[in-house]
Amino acid sequence: MTLLDRHGFRPDPFRRLPAAEIAGHPAVIVPLADVQAGLLVRALGQRIGIDIANTLPAEDATAFANQVDLIAIAFPGFADGRGFTLARRLRRAGFRGILRAVGPLIPDQFAYAMACGFDEVELPDAVATRQGEAAWLADLAIYSTSYQRDYARGQNILEARREARTGGAT
Amino acid sequence: MYRYDEFDAAFVRDRVAQFSAQVQRRLAGALTEDEFKPLRLQNGVYLQLHAYMLRIAIPYGTLSARQLRQLALIGERFDRSYGHFTTRQNLQFNWIQLKDVPEILALLADVEMHAIQTSGNCIRNVTADQFAGVAADEIEDPRPVAELIRQWSTAHPEFSFLPRKFKIAVTGAAEDRAAVSVHDIGLRIVRHPETGETGYAVLVGGGLGRTPMVGKWVRDFLPKPHLLAYLEALMRVYNAEGRRDNKYKARVKILVHEIGIEAFRDRVEAEFAQLDPLRIQADAAEVGRIERYFAPPAYAELQDNPPALRRARAANPEFDRWVAQNGFPHKVPGYQAVTLSLKGIGEAPGDITSAGMRLVAELADRHSFGEIRVTHAQNLVLPNVRQDELFDLWHALAAGGLATANAGLITDIIACPGLDYCALATARSIPIAQALATRFAAPDRQQEIGPLAIKISGCINACGHHHVGHIGILGLEKRGEESYQITLGGDAGNASAIGEILGPGLGADEVPDAIERLLAVYLDHRQPGELFVDSVRRLGIQPFKAAFNAELRHDAA
Amino acid sequence: MSTAKLQPLPAILIANDLLTGDTVFFTGDGWTRHPGEALLAGDEAASIRLEAAGQEAMQLNRVVDAYLVDVVLSEGGIPVPRHFRERFRLLGPTIRPDLGKQAEFPGLAAQAGRTR
Ligand code: HEM
Ligand code: SF4
């Protein structure tokens, strides 16, 4: 798998391990079923993340959201957009850790994913190689503006209009 | 009408650049066909039988003369000098090459147009009453809110990969001319019974296709400032819970049907309760900015039904018929909205040549403040014509073959492209429309039959709205041949209803006779002044069914 | 996972050109817009080869939606699809004889023995 954030491809500091094997690893992702066990044995400073399905109700994830450092939401296919909504709901519930999208996304979804609250994307290697890093970064750059308020995105058109109105001659 | 500001203009330019890059990545193999397909669809590009098709948005059906001229030019340069207006207020070009699409999109951007989200599993082009802003029965012009929704839904980060497509329609009038009840969301502008304030009544879960359903009320009164937050809540519930295991069950209508409207409403309200509408809604200044674009043009002070018009009507029966049939009352005295029929007898419904587009643009400039509307019945409208100029207009239209006086009559048939173009079709639809229009062409006969909506689809996807036709015709395949299933009693207006199937499928050549038999029942049994669809409602389907089945040459078992 | 054994014969390979969208036919070593130049697969082995050629051309991003269509050879030497859908596709819209391959290749409709 290849990890990608807004600066490009980068090494993944997290390793996927069952709770029983996490000792000695500075950053791990455990299966959702293991989260309680993992938190029990967590060492000081050890970072723990969890893998969740995109069908998990947001309420179920928020129960432990404040105790984990990373939540990885699975995208079974790029056209399955449930992960975008789940990410939004987790952010709304106050999750401040790393949000990761896991699956065969396409570069053209990168800016959307970021706007919904994701920090990074974990891609199958073959997909990452075929699509190339540049296409992902280009997607972040291509829209200088957006229409939706309240999403984490570059310049918002409605706010920009407001500024133009109040900043210009009145 | 709405004009792009610098931000809108920059946005559509960015989008063109993005799509050009996507095409290049597809050609280079960086994107597979599966990955590219939703991207091209969200830019209006389909693959049909003979070529690519490009579907261009005409938001809420409002078009300027300048835009229509540009469409004419695109038709000439990149297509076969004609285009097809659809039931969702879009324009389709049928012979497009993928390599030309970026250039076409740039030409559209030049005139403040685009093809964004005219297809794909996203929020589609928002449709509205074609008489918005001029209809006498209107509480409020629906176009400002349609524009607000257009902007809000454009490239939405969360709702661009929905379970299925999502269609929104808005009307501000007493009579529903936007078919809001067969949309995923239908908005009706209503007045609060106590405060008198205007807001929205919200319908959800309508739709046609394989499982036709009429929308259900999810909110009786939504205050205006809550609109975008409410839409966000509703879309979020749908995105999270709409079915993704079966594309035929993925529309919101199925979710509403499966969990029930009460449960659906509860979920939307629970989500809505967690949102702060004011953080999501455009502020009042922004709403006002949009509204000002839709301010009425500088109407002259005129009297209704001026002598010049009366004289011309008296002297010219054909003109008289056209005014009576294709005219629509305008809220301002001395003005009229008129339908330009794209249903010339024997023509393909909704098709218009580039030359025709130029003529309409010219006449819009001369007679309608440069404005044109596109109707969901696949016709055009000039919304603002002075009554004392109607005669000149009619002359010019007649010279261009655009003065057919059949708006709302039996030959004003809606038909999808069907198997002459569409890769999904099971049978042709246009030739059926042509045969019927030719059969019932005689103007007196059409008048005698009165208002009647025949709607034809070339497959179960129902792009031709056959379910809500007073008479619906669905093209299917039966034993290796095209076969046509007839339904009766559908309605797309206020009394929306889904038609009932009359009997076994017919061969193409049997359709006109079968329609004759249905008409005979109506003409024999109607009460004075009663419309076809009202007779069907009063009499029930049985007498029609009996007549329909009486002379079938197939075994009607 | 070939479905070729169910494929009625003879058959031709039909697709859309990725770049233009045109309906195209496989000739044996390339793609043509004229149906008369399509390679006819008369037996199972040939139809398997055709299908493989379609897969390959899709992999190479040359065409999309390639599949086999069973045909009857007309007296004019045109492989005419048995199904009406593919017949319309071969010639062009029935309502616009002035457009599509029927217009572009004079005589094609007659050679194909167009009946509708
Ligand atoms: C020619 C290419 C076209 C294709 C491939 C196409 C595809 C489809 C599909 C797959 C559906 C069913 C979707 C669903 O229910 O989930 C559909 C529905 C529909 N299409 Fe098309 N369509 C085409 C052209 C048109 C045209 C020309 C019109 C207008 C005349 C149109 C308007 C509609 C409408 C109104 C519906 C019904 C929507 C509903 O169920 O609410 N489409 N189309
Ligand atoms: S109803 Fe069917 S045949 Fe007609 S345009 Fe829609 S998908 Fe094509």
Side-chain angles (χ1 to χ4, degrees):
Chain A
M1 300 289 276
T2 302
L3 189 67
L4 167 88
D5 69 11
R6 63 174 64 248
H7 306 293
F9 291 163
R10 66 180 185 84
D12 188 352
F14 283 83
R15 287 195 57 181
R16 280 199 172 71
L17 290 168
E21 295 170 26
I22 64 175
H25 294 282
V28 295
I29 298 175
V30 298
L32 175 62
D34 272 11
V35 62
Q36 301 299 354
L39 290 170
L40 274 177
V41 301
R42 179 203 314 233
L44 200 66
Q46 187 180 33
R47 295 198 290 162
I48 293 191
I50 50 166
D51 268 319
I52 64 172
N54 65 356
T55 47
L56 188 73
E59 308 84 78
D60 296 4
T62 49
F64 40 77
N66 292 328
Q67 303 170 61
V68 298
D69 300 279
L70 175 147
I71 297 179
I73 300 176
F75 279 68
F78 75 94
D80 184 341
R82 283 178 282 200
F84 295 119
T85 279
L86 185 51
R88 273 287 282 182
R89 284 178 159 163
L90 290 175
R91 287 298 186 208
R92 186 177 65 209
F95 177 63
R96 292 179 178 278
I98 301 169
L99 257 187
R100 176 184 289 194
V102 184
L105 277 77
I106 54 176
D108 314 85
Q109 295 176 308
F110 198 27
Y112 290 163
M114 294 298 189
C116 290
F118 284 106
D119 299 294
E120 55 190 33
V121 180
E122 186 182 344
L123 291 170
D125 292 329
V127 172
T129 308
R130 171 164 53 73
Q131 295 169 346
E133 184 183 32
W136 288 84
L137 298 179
D139 192 62
L140 288 187
I142 197 144
Y143 286 127
S144 41
T145 55
S146 75
Y147 285 104
Q148 296 76 26
R149 294 180 69 201
D150 213 26
Y151 283 78
R153 234 177 149 180
Q155 190 193 27
N156 177 279
I157 293 175
L158 278 74
E159 311 307 338
R161 281 177 182 148
R162 198 208 317 266
E163 274 164 33
R165 261 195 300 274
T166 52
T170 41
Chain B
M1 51 187 283
Y2 187 72
R3 296 300 308 265
Y4 285 6
D5 66 3
E6 62 197 286
F7 302 106
D8 300 311
F11 185 90
V12 292
R13 294 288 171 202
D14 289 348
R15 180 76 172 211
V16 175
Q18 183 192 39
F19 188 65
S20 312
Q22 286 164 344
V23 172
Q24 291 314 315
R25 285 159 58 216
R26 171 71 188 99
L27 296 176
L31 285 175
T32 64
E33 182 63 16
D34 282 350
E35 290 170 338
F36 178 61
K37 193 172 172 184
L39 302 177
R40 71 162 156 76
L41 289 176
Q42 296 211 8
N43 286 287
V45 183
Y46 275 85
L47 187 58
Q48 300 204 93
L49 286 180
H50 317 293
Y52 286 101
M53 176 270 272
L54 179 64
R55 182 182 286 167
I56 295 166
I58 298 167
Y60 38 90
T62 299
L63 194 62
S64 71
R66 170 163 168 257
Q67 292 173 328
L68 188 55
R69 283 194 190 94
Q70 189 82 332
L71 294 173
L73 176 91
I74 291 170
E76 280 162 357
R77 291 227 333 239
F78 300 98
D79 205 87
R80 303 288 187 269
S81 296
Y82 72 105
H84 173 77
F85 284 104
T86 80
T87 46
R88 292 210 78 255
Q89 300 179 319
N90 295 308
L91 177 76
Q92 296 185 176
F93 284 120
N94 288 315
W95 300 92
I96 295 297
Q97 304 205 345
L98 181 61
K99 63 183 174 54
D100 293 332
V101 172
E103 196 179 341
I104 299 172
L105 296 181
L107 286 169
L108 290 173
D110 287 347
V111 292
E112 305 175 10
M113 294 186 83
H114 61 72
I116 299 170
Q117 291 169 214
T118 54
S119 179
N121 297 334
C122 52
I123 302 173
R124 300 286 190 85
N125 182 31
V126 181
T127 53
D129 184 351
Q130 65 263 23
F131 296 116
V134 304
D137 67 340
E138 192 169 83
I139 295 176
E140 209 170 272
D141 189 341
R143 290 173 303 164
V145 66
E147 173 61 24
L148 186 68
I149 296 171
R150 183 191 75 81
Q151 296 191 18
W152 165 80
S153 62
T154 296
H156 198 293
E158 189 178 341
F159 306 132
S160 290
F161 292 87
L162 297 170
R164 201 73 184 84
K165 60 176 164 182
F166 203 93
K167 302 178 174 179
I168 303 179
V170 201
T171 181
E175 184 193 341
D176 174 15
R177 288 173 293 262
V180 297
S181 64
V182 291
H183 281 74
D184 296 279
I185 290 181
L187 294 176
R188 295 197 75 139
I189 299 178
V190 292
R191 228 180 260 294
H192 193 280
E194 279 134 44
T195 65
E197 152 201 22
T198 54
Y200 310 104
V202 187
L203 277 159
V204 69
L208 299 172
R210 199 167 291 252
T211 324
M213 284 189 196
V214 171
K216 301 173 183 70
W217 295 107
V218 62
R219 189 57 117 82
D220 293 337
F221 189 85
L222 183 68
K224 283 184 161 182
H226 292 180
L227 178 67
L228 295 186
Y230 188 84
L231 292 180
E232 186 175 311
L234 197 156
M235 296 309 300
R236 188 164 291 140
V237 168
Y238 171 55
N239 193 36
E241 300 187 37
R243 286 182 62 171
R244 292 179 188 258
D245 57 327
N246 178 341
K247 76 177 249 193
Y248 299 117
K249 301 199 164 159
R251 296 281 294 272
V252 72
K253 63 188 171 187
I254 303 292
L255 177 63
V256 171
H257 180 72
E258 286 181 352
I259 69 175
I261 185 68
E262 286 77 20
F264 184 83
R265 182 184 297 121
D266 291 347
R267 284 177 212 197
V268 173
E269 293 294 344
E271 179 68 35
F272 178 68
Q274 301 200 44
L275 302 177
D276 176 357
L278 298 184
R279 284 176 65 107
I280 298 167
Q281 184 72 19
D283 64 25
E286 169 66 6
V287 171
R289 183 189 74 89
I290 294 176
E291 279 170 354
R292 276 192 297 281
Y293 285 110
F294 298 97
Y299 293 118
E301 254 185 63
L302 301 169
Q303 67 173 116
D304 248 337
N305 201 9
L309 175 64
R310 283 193 306 243
R311 277 195 304 274
R313 289 182 73 161
N316 194 321
E318 263 186 83
F319 170 63
D320 182 54
R321 196 195 306 271
W322 180 75
V323 174
Q325 199 57 49
N326 292 27
F328 182 84
H330 199 288
K331 66 180 182 192
V332 177
Y335 285 86
Q336 183 101 351
V338 282
T339 298
L340 314 187
S341 169
L342 302 183
K343 312 293 176 64
I345 304 301
E347 305 286 338
D351 278 12
I352 182 170
T353 62
S354 286
M357 293 183 212
R358 287 221 169 78
L359 174 65
V360 173
E362 167 73 32
L363 295 173
D365 271 338
R366 214 183 304 156
H367 298 291
S368 187
F369 298 94
E371 196 179 314
I372 301 119
R373 304 289 177 82
V374 179
T375 82
H376 90 272
Q378 301 176 290
N379 290 314
L380 298 178
V381 163
L382 293 185
N384 289 309
V385 184
R386 281 174 67 129
Q387 293 172 0
D388 54 13
E389 294 178 4
L390 279 169
F391 192 58
D392 290 346
L393 172 64
W394 175 75
H395 260 297
L397 286 170
L402 289 168
T404 313
N406 62 352
L409 295 178
I410 185 169
T411 59
D412 186 4
I413 297 170
I414 290 182
C416 78
L419 199 48
D420 282 299
Y421 297 99
C422 177
L424 301 176
T426 40
R428 288 173 292 173
S429 21
I430 298 169
I432 303 296
Q434 291 171 325
L436 288 174
T438 307
R439 170 71 67 96
F440 297 104
D444 292 337
R445 182 97 200 276
Q446 295 193 51
Q447 291 292 338
E448 189 202 353
I449 296 164
L452 173 55
I454 298 184
K455 305 189 186 216
I456 311 176
S457 306
C459 81
I460 191 68
N461 287 322
C463 301
H465 287 186
H466 65 276
H467 298 111
V468 290
H470 301 156
I471 296 176
I473 303 179
L474 166 62
L476 296 167
E477 176 180 351
K478 206 162 96 186
R479 296 186 210 98
E481 303 245 358
E482 291 164 291
S483 167
Y484 296 88
Q485 190 179 76
I486 316 288
T487 52
L488 188 72
D491 197 331
N494 288 5
S496 53
I498 306 294
E500 280 184 64
I501 298 172
L502 283 175
L506 308 180
D509 55 338
E510 297 173 283
V511 173
D513 286 340
I515 305 301
E516 293 267 19
R517 292 199 296 279
L518 300 179
L519 290 173
V521 175
Y522 162 62
L523 295 173
D524 284 351
H525 293 88
R526 71 174 165 190
Q527 292 174 348
E530 190 177 53
L531 304 186
F532 179 86
V533 65
D534 294 327
S535 294
V536 173
R537 263 186 220 124
R538 181 174 56 83
L539 296 168
I541 194 172
Q542 274 319 321
F544 294 93
K545 212 171 192 166
F548 177 84
N549 287 302
E551 288 173 47
L552 291 190
R553 63 172 184 246
H554 301 304
D555 51 329
Chain C
M1 278 185 299
S2 170
T3 52
K5 56 181 172 302
L6 299 173
Q7 176 63 45
L9 298 170
I12 57 173
L13 180 63
I14 194 165
N16 290 92
D17 186 278
L18 171 62
L19 200 52
T20 65
D22 278 342
T23 304
V24 289
F25 312 90
F26 188 64
T27 62
D29 56 10
W31 296 86
T32 176
R33 306 183 56 254
H34 195 298
E37 295 163 8
L39 178 69
L40 206 63
D43 58 32
E44 191 183 327
S47 79
I48 290 172
R49 279 197 303 277
L50 269 193
E51 200 170 26
Q55 290 300 325
E56 192 191 339
M58 287 195 282
Q59 291 276 303
L60 294 173
N61 307 309
R62 171 78 180 77
V63 300
V64 288
D65 225 6
Y67 55 87
L68 295 178
V69 165
D70 57 317
V71 295
V72 181
L73 206 59
S74 74
E75 283 177 16
I78 304 292
V80 178
R82 269 186 258 257
H83 196 282
F84 56 88
R85 176 186 195 268
E86 304 302 331
R87 280 206 296 279
F88 299 159
R89 198 166 165 213
L90 195 92
L91 294 174
T94 61
I95 50 159
R96 291 294 299 263
D98 59 323
L99 297 177
K101 294 185 177 6
Q102 58 199 348
E104 191 179 334
F105 303 117
L108 175 63
Q111 285 161 13
R114 167 166 256 180
T115 50
R116 55 167 112 207

